[in-house]
Amino acid sequence: MTETDEAVGMAETAEMAELAASLGVRIHDPAPPRDISWSRAGCRLHGFDWGGGGPAVLLLHGGGLTARTWDFVCLGLRGTARLVALDLRGHGDSDWSDDYRVDTMAEDVIAAADHLGLDRVRLVGMSLGGVVAARAAAAHPDRVARLALIDVAPGVDFESTERMRTFMAGLGPVDELDTVVDAALRVSPRAGRGRLTYRMRALFRRTPGGTWVPKGDPRPPDFPAILAATDRLAAQLTGLPVLLVRGGRSRVLPQSAAERLVERVPDGELVVVPDAGHNVQEDDPAALITALGAFLTRSP
């Protein structure tokens, strides 16, 4: 690492901690996470190992996001759990693939646990990551002790995501990252420039020529298959404790749909974070940390 790279890294770490603190996160340890990588079926995968003591927790982001969406939450939970945030294939610093089936991504998660030497884990999944986490738990019940779903359940309002989906599909090379941040603010004005700049820096990489290009695979996801997998969630959650966290301002997950899922899960509970939309982990990480900390640290 050059002195310039080290200086950039220190500045980004300071920015991460400052943003987290501004959102009410009590930081246990401000050090950045360690990059990890593993491969499965020819696909190189990436994640961030935050370390920490306590039960092992793997965190899965939503579609179009990256493992960095969990930064603020991991800073606050680090003192109570061993945290690893994963980039799903086709996202962040993981390879692109020709196979984005939910079952395939679920096996990637179990492969990550194997790589880390973790026999039994707790899973936290937001949106698409929740669907993947539920599939991993159903396919490997002996490997998953608890499951937290963030703003996803059967009955999601897919049409409410059209504006964001259109925005994500239109992401392309730009000369200045502020161009994307300005556009994102028009779609999500509540998020604030600081948080959106931080998010977009994780979603884009700078080329040697100085332009910014998206990291993620630009090919559209198989939304019908993802929605079908979402509809099967309840049947996959009958054998383990489940926490569903809904953003109180979320248009994606109606309150009625959240309540229906919890009613169908024998050991389920619902927490609503009032001042959060779909991206609960970025909108109100402090409240999510409280909910996850209480749930994840219980004995299986």
Side-chain angles (χ1 to χ4, degrees):
M1 178 182 290
T2 67
E3 290 185 7
T4 300
D5 290 337
E6 185 175 356
V8 170
M10 291 176 63
E12 290 178 349
T13 298
E15 179 189 15
M16 174 178 65
E18 183 178 347
L19 280 170
S22 73
L23 292 165
V25 175
R26 297 181 63 181
I27 300 173
H28 175 74
D29 177 359
R34 176 176 64 91
D35 287 272
I36 60 169
S37 63
W38 70 103
S39 294
R40 195 184 78 79
C43 185
R44 180 188 171 278
L45 300 155
H46 173 268
F48 294 105
D49 188 347
W50 288 83
V57 179
L58 305 185
L59 301 104
L60 313 180
H61 59 78
L65 297 175
T66 75
R68 301 240 66 137
T69 195
W70 298 110
D71 283 359
F72 306 149
V73 170
C74 287
L75 281 172
L77 276 179
R78 205 179 215 168
T80 58
R82 162 77 185 282
L83 304 160
V84 182
L86 309 180
D87 280 326
L88 299 176
R89 57 175 58 203
H91 296 74
D93 292 318
S94 286
D95 282 350
W96 297 2
S97 171
D98 290 325
D99 183 1
Y100 292 122
R101 291 174 297 174
V102 170
D103 284 359
T104 299
M105 292 188 283
E107 293 303 320
D108 291 343
V109 174
I110 299 303
D114 290 341
H115 172 74
L116 294 163
L118 304 174
D119 292 331
R120 196 160 167 81
V121 298
R122 285 127 166 98
L123 297 180
V124 178
M126 178 258 171
S127 198
L128 171 61
V131 179
V132 173
R135 181 59 195 145
H140 300 273
D142 58 322
R143 303 294 300 276
V144 180
R146 289 178 165 267
L147 173 62
L149 301 173
I150 313 300
D151 217 63
V152 63
V156 294
D157 183 355
F158 181 66
E159 296 305 318
S160 72
T161 68
E162 181 178 3
R163 190 178 182 191
M164 181 56 69
R165 284 186 281 116
T166 300
F167 168 76
M168 296 298 292
L171 293 178
V174 293
D175 291 331
E176 300 291 339
L177 200 59
D178 277 348
T179 303
V180 183
V181 175
D182 290 340
L185 274 171
R186 290 192 287 272
V187 178
S188 304
R190 285 176 175 262
R193 177 170 290 275
R195 274 182 284 164
L196 283 176
T197 299
Y198 190 82
R199 181 194 298 174
M200 293 305 161
R201 196 179 294 127
L203 293 177
F204 281 71
R205 62 178 176 84
R206 199 162 197 171
T207 68
T211 59
W212 293 85
V213 297
K215 291 181 177 181
D217 191 335
R219 290 174 291 183
D222 186 348
F223 288 118
I226 294 171
L227 289 171
T230 305
D231 288 339
R232 294 192 294 269
L233 273 178
Q236 298 174 338
L237 302 176
T238 57
L240 76 168
V242 175
L243 170 68
L244 173 58
V245 180
R246 176 183 177 267
R249 294 189 283 101
S250 175
R251 292 179 293 177
V252 176
L253 180 61
Q255 179 71 15
S256 58
E259 292 173 353
R260 280 197 303 272
L261 176 63
V262 172
E263 288 171 359
R264 294 181 61 186
V265 176
D267 192 3
E269 58 184 290
L270 173 64
V271 171
V272 177
V273 178
D275 193 24
H278 186 49
N279 292 330
V280 182
Q281 72 283 354
E282 295 183 21
D283 292 343
D284 195 344
L288 183 56
I289 288 165
T290 298
L292 290 178
F295 175 76
L296 295 171
T297 55
R298 295 178 201 159
S299 299

